[in-house]
Amino acid sequence: MRLPRKRRVDRTRSTDQTEGPEQTDGPDQTEGAEQADGPEQTEGPQPTEGPERTRRPTGRTKTREGAGRKARRLRIDFPRRGRRGWRRWTPSWKLVSGLFLLFAGALAGLFTAVYMRVEIPDPHDSARRQATVYYWADGSRMVSIGDVNRQDVKLSQVPESVQRAVIAAENEDFYSDSGVSVTGIGRAAVNIVKGEETQGGSTLTQQYVKNTYLSQDQTVQRKIKELFLSLKISNQRPKTEILEGYLNTSWFGRDAYGVQAASYAYYGIPAAELNPSQGALLAAVLKGAESIDPSLSPENHKRAEDRWSWILDREVDTGAMTAEERAKYTDFPEPKPTVKPTSQAGQIGYLVDIANKYLKSRSGITDKDLAGGGYSIHTTFEKDKESALTKAVEQVRADRLDPKNRAEDQYVQVGAASIRPKDGAIVALYGGSDAIEHFTNNADTSGVPAASAFKPFVYAAALEQELGGTKSQAETPAPDPLKPRAAGTAPASAHLRSALVDSDHIPFVEAGKKVGLNKVKDLAVASGLREESMAKLEPTFSIGTSTPSAVRLASAYTTFINEGQATEPYSVTEVERNGVAVDGFGRPKPRRAMSSDTAAIVGGALRHVGWNAVGPPKNQLTYVPSWAGKTGPNDRMNSAWFIGTTPELSTSVAMFRTKPDVTQLLPMQGVGGPDSERGSAFPPLIWKAYTDVVVPPPASPSIGPPPGGP
């Protein structure tokens, strides 16, 4: 019975001995045996006095020792076993490849699931396309534009040369690609996220999907949907069907959707009769008719020629055309002039043109967006003033010009614009005889020299230099322009006052040299004239070789009545699309263009110009207080101008002669007869006929001309 008890005691001793050297009574324990330290003692048999000492530790001790060793291994070897330093934290290639395969598999699964769930929707119903509506300033409807101009044709009705031109220009791998350009979608998505302008890169299939099934919104969601639909349509439908759909739904400008409507809009023929050269131009405008339609501007014409030539060369490079055939097409295929719809007859088309230019300059809206419909555009145009201005022009033309019996009265054009000085709103304009017959907007054209109407800006630049510019502004009230200047005030520029009234050129040429033509130009641009309308800086610059539009001159003259503050002219107050407001519209903020002293001094001189030009109003007892600029008999440029500014309205009227297919303006000598002062007598008459109707006379009468003679 003692033996089992002894074993239990010995077992306990054996367990306790594992933490240090075994303690024994016999000499065998110390001779030739090293003392073990720590857990290494458990790796081999312990020297003992009997068979009992050879037993391993108990189960409880073994578990505790294993847990300790495992914890030490995890602490030392995580995350990579057997590595030290920074290498411990570097993932192994097995881990990286495993994660990549897992991600790729999940992505492929998601892609497949989405692809299977995507269904090709029904095409857009053109009948549901909304109109774009323009409103007068009082909220009444001016015009509704939005009928879709499209006539579908079979691909067999489109010449192969036109098909090849489109493919070469837009998607040379069309017949072999999968229907998508992942790089193009990725680039566009990144730009959308960054808030930058979107770029091209879509295949013909993607563009067809966007035109036919999706909106034109530039969003990531729409791009993703476009990707899946393009893949599915490319897999399920033949390429010829996709190309036919693309050609029938694409925007070519000129309110034309599809190649058939575009062929009529540009050349007046069906698509089947297009030749390779004409087809190349239609392929060119697909990139953006607003910037490539050659009839819109000289700059557009240059871009159209360059892209047309590039597309023909590209067809040779891609094997769609031989070099011998390419050599036949060296003359640019000029399209016919643009034709506006009958709803834009009269002055309406010109008003729409001005409004569209303004809203496109203030937002990302394009002509294609507008043609798509759904916009409500509220303008600054006032119906009664528009009617009065049109009537004034037509009345003077009918009374004073005789084109049937006097050759000099032929090809006479008039452009006019009326602006509210307090905020820059364009309230009326006259762009030509009829917007559907005369396509150039005379109120906004930049090609008619301002002549003596430009001189006030030279006078102002001389005064700015003399008075120290805006330093003279301080916080003091501006001088009364009706009072004559004190003797000795602004002596160096005093001679310009009488020269302005008498339309004398030499003092202004000298003043321009003295002040510096760059300073004159800068002040004119600051007042509202466009930089691109400025002429070369040579001596004649000071007498009006620049060619601002009627809109811009009317706006710039408000600077003199607004104490040197200039305001950008505007024509749109509010834009909505499907009931949601579009940001970026409202009254522009004024900016300082010259000191109030300068504006008052020049304004005083302009009062005398106005009185001499138009005299008192109808009742002969009061005069309309106007700041005016004009051309006269001394001007030898091919234009006649009058700009009259009152506190209520600033209105400019230009008269010139232009003949189709003649690039330069025709001379004004003899227009209206020998006593018309080279036509300069007519713009003041138009201004007065208009102003007498829309601007009431002052409440208190004032007899005689303004005091303070020239």
Side-chain angles (χ1 to χ4, degrees):
M1 296 299 293
R2 292 181 179 177
L3 185 58
R5 188 163 48 250
K6 182 177 181 180
R7 287 177 180 172
R8 285 197 297 273
V9 173
D10 290 342
R11 189 178 299 115
T12 304
R13 290 183 61 200
S14 174
T15 302
D16 295 337
Q17 294 292 335
T18 60
E19 299 299 327
E22 187 77 26
Q23 301 293 329
T24 64
D25 295 333
D28 294 339
Q29 181 64 25
T30 59
E31 291 183 354
E34 296 182 0
Q35 293 184 356
D37 186 15
E40 294 181 357
Q41 184 70 21
T42 64
E43 296 296 321
Q46 302 290 329
T48 62
E49 291 185 357
E52 295 86 352
R53 296 294 180 96
T54 63
R55 293 181 178 274
R56 294 183 178 273
T58 63
R60 181 182 302 172
T61 304
K62 181 178 179 181
T63 301
R64 185 162 57 250
E65 291 177 358
R69 287 195 299 270
K70 183 176 181 181
R72 286 192 292 273
R73 283 199 304 269
L74 291 174
R75 183 171 61 254
I76 294 173
D77 295 331
F78 182 81
R80 294 192 66 186
R81 187 172 183 179
R83 298 287 192 274
R84 296 293 184 268
W86 63 269
R87 291 184 178 86
R88 292 172 54 205
W89 305 98
T90 305
S92 66
W93 68 269
K94 293 180 180 179
L95 178 61
V96 172
S97 59
L99 290 175
F100 175 78
L101 291 175
L102 180 63
F103 175 77
L107 189 63
L110 177 63
F111 187 92
T112 302
V114 174
Y115 178 85
M116 296 297 293
R117 289 177 61 87
V118 167
E119 295 182 359
I120 300 175
D122 293 331
H124 291 311
D125 184 1
S126 299
R128 296 177 183 175
R129 192 181 301 277
Q130 300 181 58
T132 290
V133 184
Y134 297 78
Y135 296 90
W136 293 102
D138 63 2
S140 60
R141 178 174 295 202
M142 182 171 71
V143 65
S144 178
I145 302 172
D147 292 335
V148 179
N149 178 22
R150 178 169 62 212
Q151 180 183 356
D152 291 348
V153 292
K154 297 294 184 181
L155 188 63
S156 59
Q157 296 175 269
V158 181
E160 290 189 7
S161 61
V162 178
Q163 300 177 35
R164 291 194 298 264
V166 170
I167 292 172
E170 297 290 313
N171 183 188
E172 63 175 287
D173 299 324
F174 168 70
Y175 280 107
S176 60
D177 64 25
S178 62
V180 299
S181 171
V182 178
T183 57
I185 292 178
R187 181 172 61 249
V190 170
N191 288 339
I192 291 171
V193 172
K194 290 182 177 179
E196 299 176 356
E197 184 178 354
T198 58
Q199 301 178 12
S202 298
T203 64
L204 291 184
T205 306
Q206 289 175 255
Q207 295 179 58
Y208 165 65
V209 166
K210 180 175 65 174
N211 294 340
T212 308
Y213 303 105
L214 303 176
S215 70
Q216 301 296 318
D217 298 334
Q218 295 291 343
T219 62
V220 175
Q221 293 85 347
R222 203 270 294 156
K223 279 288 183 183
I224 293 174
K225 195 170 184 179
E226 175 189 303
L227 169 68
F228 285 100
L229 278 176
S230 299
L231 285 171
K232 201 151 198 174
I233 286 176
S234 184
N235 288 333
Q236 295 182 4
R237 298 183 181 176
K239 290 286 187 177
T240 52
E241 181 180 336
I242 295 172
L243 180 60
E244 178 182 299
Y246 172 77
L247 291 173
N248 280 322
T249 58
S250 292
W251 168 257
F252 288 82
R254 300 195 178 191
D255 295 327
Y257 281 93
V259 66
Q260 180 80 336
S263 184
Y264 280 113
Y266 283 85
Y267 294 107
I269 58 176
E273 297 180 13
L274 291 169
N275 62 40
S277 181
Q278 295 167 333
L281 178 63
L282 293 186
V285 298
L286 283 169
K287 186 176 179 64
E290 295 167 324
S291 60
I292 296 180
D293 185 342
S295 67
L296 299 181
S297 69
E299 295 78 14
N300 272 27
H301 199 285
K302 178 64 167 58
R303 285 189 289 265
E305 285 193 66
D306 291 343
R307 185 156 179 82
W308 163 80
S309 180
W310 176 83
I311 289 175
L312 290 174
D313 292 340
R314 187 67 179 159
E315 289 187 71
V316 175
D317 295 339
T318 59
M321 178 184 290
T322 65
E324 292 76 14
E325 186 178 4
R326 167 66 179 92
K328 300 177 183 178
Y329 307 113
T330 57
D331 295 331
F332 183 71
E334 288 288 352
K336 68 176 188 177
T338 56
V339 177
K340 292 184 179 295
T342 55
S343 61
Q344 299 184 47
Q347 299 303 307
I348 297 298
Y350 303 124
L351 297 175
V352 169
D353 175 66
I354 290 286
N356 287 350
K357 286 179 180 177
Y358 181 77
L359 68 88
K360 286 187 290 185
S361 71
R362 303 279 295 187
S363 67
I365 297 174
T366 66
D367 283 336
K368 182 178 181 181
D369 296 329
L370 293 172
Y375 288 93
S376 296
I377 301 169
H378 298 265
T379 73
T380 59
F381 308 131
E382 299 181 20
K383 193 172 184 178
D384 59 335
K385 293 181 174 61
E386 179 63 34
S387 177
L389 183 57
T390 301
K391 185 177 180 180
V393 173
E394 293 176 348
Q395 177 183 330
V396 171
R397 288 182 63 108
D399 293 346
R400 308 301 288 266
L401 299 181
D402 188 8
K404 293 182 178 180
N405 300 312
R406 189 162 46 224
E408 292 84 356
D409 290 355
Q410 296 176 357
Y411 309 115
V412 171
Q413 296 291 335
V414 176
S418 190
I419 290 177
R420 197 162 53 220
K422 67 178 181 180
D423 62 356
I426 304 173
V427 298
L429 59 84
Y430 182 87
S433 57
D434 193 328
I436 64 175
E437 296 178 358
H438 177 75
F439 307 114
T440 301
N441 191 337
N442 294 341
D444 196 40
T445 187
S446 180
V448 182
S452 290
F454 185 79
K455 291 176 181 177
F457 304 105
V458 183
Y459 188 11
L463 285 169
E464 286 290 273
Q465 185 181 74
E466 197 168 277
L467 300 176
T470 55
K471 292 181 180 178
S472 66
Q473 171 72 17
E475 297 297 332
T476 59
D480 185 350
L482 293 179
K483 294 181 180 180
R485 301 293 295 178
T489 302
S493 59
H495 65 295
L496 293 178
R497 183 184 180 92
S498 58
L500 182 63
V501 176
D502 297 336
S503 192
D504 190 359
H505 297 329
I506 295 177
F508 284 93
V509 174
E510 294 174 348
K513 292 179 181 178
K514 182 178 179 180
V515 174
L517 298 181
N518 270 315
K519 293 183 179 179
V520 175
K521 185 189 83 168
D522 291 344
L523 185 140
V525 172
S527 299
L529 303 187
R530 291 191 182 278
E531 176 106 23
E532 56 267 27
S533 71
M534 295 292 100
K536 292 182 179 180
L537 300 183
E538 49 194 19
T540 55
F541 178 82
S542 297
I543 56 174
T545 53
S546 296
T547 58
S549 67
V551 170
R552 286 290 164 171
L553 264 181
S555 174
Y557 267 64
T558 66
T559 306
F560 302 116
I561 201 172
N562 286 331
E563 300 183 357
Q565 295 271 15
T567 303
E568 189 76 6
Y570 73 106
S571 57
V572 176
T573 59
E574 183 183 356
V575 178
E576 295 179 349
R577 187 182 188 189
N578 298 324
V580 179
V582 178
D583 295 333
F585 298 94
R587 177 176 174 175
K589 295 181 179 180
R591 62 185 183 277
R592 177 143 310 273
M594 64 186 73
S595 69
S596 60
D597 284 0
T598 293
I601 295 170
V602 176
L606 293 178
R607 295 287 290 275
H608 290 278
V609 174
W611 176 264
N612 293 341
V614 299
K618 294 178 295 186
N619 56 20
Q620 300 295 316
L621 295 176
T622 62
Y623 68 90
V624 177
S626 60
W627 285 248
K630 65 182 292 291
T631 57
N634 294 335
D635 286 287
R636 292 295 182 266
M637 297 180 191
N638 296 331
S639 60
W641 284 90
F642 183 82
I643 303 96
T645 304
T646 72
E648 295 82 11
L649 292 174
S650 177
T651 305
S652 65
V653 182
M655 181 177 283
F656 54 96
R657 297 176 68 216
T658 180
K659 185 178 181 180
D661 303 326
V662 177
T663 56
Q664 295 180 340
L665 297 179
L666 302 178
M668 292 291 292
Q669 184 67 39
V671 173
D675 299 328
S676 69
E677 298 180 350
R678 300 175 61 86
S680 293
F682 299 131
L685 294 177
I686 294 172
W687 179 88
K688 192 171 187 301
Y690 165 69
T691 306
D692 283 346
V693 173
V694 299
V695 178
S700 58
S702 176
I703 306 299

